[in-house]
Amino acid sequence: MASQNLDELIRAGCNIQALALIREQLGCSLTEAVDVLNEHHVRLKAEQPIEQPSQRSSADDGGPGHHMGHEDQAVNQGRAADS
């Protein structure tokens, strides 16, 4: 099987096309193709360098990790109504 083409499809997120390629080249069932695809996903993930998380949490600056509680929402809505 052309592993490089399969790897490119996986990296591009084209799992359906990757499954079709696996089935075409190996002549296997869909279940077997899914198993092969999963093995390739695991191998590619192991080959990628591990990204280090940032030192600062996004919750510290009110970014995407910051969750507003119900009481905070009520205060903000009250302020908007006062304006």
Side-chain angles (χ1 to χ4, degrees):
M1 176 169 26
S3 178
Q4 186 175 9
N5 290 338
L6 179 59
D7 292 351
E8 291 171 10
L9 288 171
I10 293 170
R11 285 187 187 108
C14 300
N15 292 329
I16 302 297
Q17 291 85 352
L19 284 170
L21 178 65
I22 293 167
R23 292 193 69 200
E24 176 185 308
Q25 292 188 353
L26 297 181
C28 61
S29 70
L30 182 58
T31 304
E32 293 167 330
V34 168
D35 291 339
V36 171
L37 181 63
N38 285 334
E39 291 171 10
H40 276 270
H41 272 285
V42 169
R43 182 182 54 79
L44 289 174
K45 187 173 182 178
E47 291 175 358
Q48 290 179 343
I50 299 172
E51 293 182 22
Q52 296 297 322
S54 65
Q55 297 296 325
R56 187 173 146 199
S57 170
S58 60
D60 294 340
D61 61 3
H66 179 73
H67 298 288
M68 188 179 294
H70 291 292
E71 55 280 344
D72 293 334
Q73 289 175 348
V75 169
N76 286 341
Q77 288 173 354
R79 288 182 187 152
D82 293 338
S83 335

